[in-house]
Amino acid sequence: MVAEIIESIFGDLTPLATMIIIGIAALALPGIQMFGKRHTATWAFTLIMVLVAMIIDMCLLVDGYAGEYMGVRFTGYSSLLGLLFLIVLFMTILVSNSSVETTRNHAGAYYSLLCGASLGMLFVASSTNLLTIFVGVELTSISSYALVALKRKDGRASEAAVKYAIIGGMSTALTLYGISMLYGITGSVDIAEIAAFLAGYDVTWMVGIAFICMIAGYGFKIAAVPFHMWAPDVYEGAATPVSMFLATGSKKMGLSVFIQVFMVMLIALTVSENVLAEATQYLFAIIAAFTMTVGNVVAIAQTNIKRMLAYSSIAQAGYIMIILAVMTPQAEAAGVFHMFTHVFMKGGAFLIVGALICAGLGEKISDYKGLAKRAPFLAAAMMLFLFSLAGIPPLAGFTSKFFLFASAIGEPGAANGTWVWLAFVAILNSAISLYYYARVVKAMYIEKGATTEKIKIPKPFLAAILICLVFVIVLGVYPDLIFGYCEASFAGLFI
């Protein structure tokens, strides 16, 4: 019913509806800032546009709408991922106007870049060929480089932005090389056509090199080991709302690319019993194991909480990469569900760090000593977010990790125990992560701080933290709120 109303407004452009709204916002915001000259008006306009896009996306998702316009498909998968990206954008914008770290002089450009980066993510989620995915990824990447540099009065931001841009350029070159080789072999950039061609094609070294180049190129985007070096410096140097945006939005886009490109190709190759499929699955399993292990082990040594969360994000990417080794519908659903829970638990942790920076607290873990007495709600919320990231029941992180690890142990595709060792590595890593998360909890609740003066944080931060907290608890005890859509999203990859 609601989908019909939206269709009557947008007509043939309905599959692009959310992208049109975010695109209009991205183009209009610099002008609104220039003529309005008020930060709050620019912020409110952006927030309203994102809310409208979220409502449209949710209505189309619930009504089961599917459509296509000029190669851009709106399916259950694209609408679910689109909703995830819009939630991340909404929370980032909600707190940005109150943050002391984000720019005031170029607020229009700042919000425009956020919308531009999200537009690229939405485009990627709806694309079905390698070139349009590449364009979407680059739109997000270039906007992200500029966003990192827009932090106020901090030289670390410029340094981080330069590193990010250089490494991002290398990943772009590798990706393009891989795409061009695949196009040369198959004569197509459409993922389904490439999959069908490779299914009846004898494997050559050129296909292997093309796959390796694309895995390395997109591996940089999700900070998978050994392509993770940029993440800690960028997350530490950027304004905290931008760090949250990159950790919860940009990386999810990279994982979405892996799902859309490699799951479709590899499942076609598996059906035809092509040896390349099994080799690539093992490659993803090894990368996943190293990514989660390196991320968790190095996080132990961190004293800066933003760097610790950055390494934790690297480890979380490793957990999600399990689905690329297992490659079953159940694994895909579990991976997409973990992406949602990760947005709320990791996003909530970054929001608390950003709120405390606004209140004058430092970024070191030692600065959190005695926080439970100074800000009981923030300390309790941070404890729940960190325990959820570690996988403590009954929080969202436990439920999503349970689905994720179970997909490697008990699904039909893993009945011979092929990926049990990977699930064991993931469980071991979750135990390791509990050590460094507990270190923050110990500082907040057991160690004494230099003062007991109460801390006040801006209300938008409080609202965003509350949203994350509610979902971390609700999704832990009632995963069906989203998990049913995650299970249905697998079909959207092959329409």
Side-chain angles (χ1 to χ4, degrees):
M1 177 64 184
V2 181
E4 290 176 2
I5 297 172
I6 295 170
E7 276 190 277
S8 68
I9 297 171
F10 288 94
D12 294 340
L13 297 175
T14 304
L16 307 174
T18 53
M19 286 182 259
I20 290 171
I21 293 185
I22 298 300
I24 289 172
L27 292 172
L29 279 164
I32 290 173
Q33 170 66 23
M34 182 182 294
F35 294 109
K37 297 187 182 301
R38 296 187 63 176
H39 307 306
T40 306
T42 311
W43 170 77
F45 173 80
T46 318
L47 212 53
I48 290 168
M49 293 294 275
V50 176
L51 267 175
V52 171
M54 282 176 68
I55 291 168
I56 289 174
D57 190 273
M58 279 193 284
C59 290
L60 294 176
L61 176 65
V62 172
D63 277 6
Y65 172 82
E68 181 175 354
Y69 185 80
M70 294 185 70
V72 176
R73 289 178 183 170
F74 191 98
T75 63
Y77 178 84
S78 66
S79 58
L80 194 62
L81 267 291
L83 180 62
L84 184 148
F85 298 141
L86 290 171
I87 289 171
V88 172
L89 178 62
F90 175 80
M91 289 197 298
T92 307
I93 291 170
L94 182 61
V95 302
S96 287
N97 197 43
S98 307
S99 173
V100 297
E101 300 174 89
T102 51
T103 182
R104 293 286 184 278
N105 297 328
H106 306 287
Y110 172 77
Y111 292 122
S112 179
L113 286 167
L114 280 174
C115 289
S118 300
L119 180 62
M121 296 176 194
L122 294 171
F123 198 56
V124 166
S126 305
S127 295
T128 56
N129 78 64
L130 297 178
L131 271 187
T132 49
I133 285 176
F134 176 80
V135 171
V137 169
E138 289 311 303
L139 178 57
T140 300
S141 299
I142 293 168
S143 302
S144 300
Y145 307 150
L147 280 168
V148 172
L150 277 179
K151 186 179 181 182
R152 287 198 300 175
K153 300 176 182 177
D154 194 333
R156 292 180 303 170
S158 304
E159 182 185 340
V162 171
K163 284 182 182 175
Y164 195 17
I166 291 173
I167 294 174
M170 289 169 56
S171 74
T172 299
L174 281 169
T175 306
L176 260 184
Y177 190 66
I179 292 174
S180 61
M181 286 191 76
L182 266 187
Y183 177 74
I185 296 165
T186 64
S188 174
V189 288
D190 185 273
I191 295 169
E193 290 179 9
I194 292 172
F197 182 92
L198 292 179
Y201 183 74
D202 289 334
V203 176
T204 67
W205 61 271
M206 286 193 295
V207 178
I209 290 176
F211 271 35
I212 289 170
C213 286
M214 290 175 64
I215 290 170
Y218 290 126
F220 276 111
K221 304 298 181 191
I222 65 169
V225 173
F227 317 111
H228 64 289
M229 301 78 71
W230 60 271
D233 290 341
V234 170
Y235 290 4
E236 183 186 7
T240 308
V242 174
S243 301
M244 184 201 76
F245 181 77
L246 298 176
T248 57
S250 180
K251 284 184 71 175
K252 302 296 175 294
M253 177 200 66
L255 288 161
S256 171
V257 172
F258 272 113
I259 293 172
Q260 288 166 251
V261 175
F262 288 102
M263 279 201 91
V264 173
M265 287 191 196
L266 294 181
I267 285 175
L269 291 172
T270 302
V271 171
S272 65
E273 298 183 350
N274 192 312
V275 68
L276 183 63
E278 189 178 355
T280 311
Q281 281 178 277
Y282 273 103
L283 178 60
F284 277 127
I286 292 167
I287 294 175
F290 274 103
T291 300
M292 61 180 88
T293 304
V294 170
N296 281 320
V297 170
V298 181
I300 293 173
Q302 302 306 311
T303 55
N304 181 298
I305 195 158
K306 287 174 75 174
R307 290 185 73 86
M308 185 203 80
L309 290 174
Y311 279 106
S312 162
S313 288
I314 292 168
Q316 296 288 335
Y319 298 140
I320 299 174
M321 287 190 77
I322 288 174
I323 67 176
L324 295 161
V326 179
M327 246 182 16
T328 61
Q330 293 80 7
E332 188 268 352
V336 173
F337 183 63
H338 191 69
M339 287 189 206
F340 266 93
T341 61
H342 186 253
V343 163
F344 295 115
M345 50 195 184
K346 181 56 64 70
F350 266 116
L351 285 169
I352 290 175
V353 173
L356 292 174
I357 289 173
C358 291
L361 215 65
E363 296 178 7
K364 291 183 179 177
I365 294 174
S366 57
D367 295 325
Y368 285 59
K369 288 180 180 177
L371 185 66
K373 291 185 178 177
R374 301 182 66 191
F377 170 73
L378 292 182
M382 180 63 106
M383 181 177 68
L384 290 174
F385 291 139
L386 295 179
F387 280 172
S388 182
L389 283 164
I392 301 295
L395 301 169
F398 165 77
T399 310
S400 59
K401 280 186 178 180
F402 176 80
F403 290 148
L404 201 53
F405 300 165
S407 71
I409 295 172
E411 299 302 337
N416 60 1
T418 304
W419 306 116
V420 170
W421 67 271
L422 190 55
F424 177 76
V425 171
I427 292 167
L428 189 64
N429 269 284
S430 288
I432 294 172
S433 70
L434 186 58
Y435 172 77
Y436 59 82
Y437 291 137
R439 205 152 50 97
V440 180
V441 177
K442 175 171 170 273
M444 293 190 299
Y445 280 93
I446 297 177
E447 297 178 9
K448 290 183 179 178
T451 174
T452 56
E453 186 182 350
K454 296 294 181 187
I455 289 175
K456 289 185 178 179
I457 63 169
K459 289 179 180 175
F461 271 99
L462 189 60
I465 292 166
L466 266 173
I467 291 171
C468 291
L469 194 56
V470 167
F471 277 99
V472 162
I473 295 170
V474 170
L475 290 179
V477 296
Y478 185 59
D480 286 348
L481 183 67
I482 291 178
F483 194 68
Y485 293 107
C486 297
E487 288 181 306
S489 71
F490 185 76
L493 291 171
F494 300 91
I495 291 175

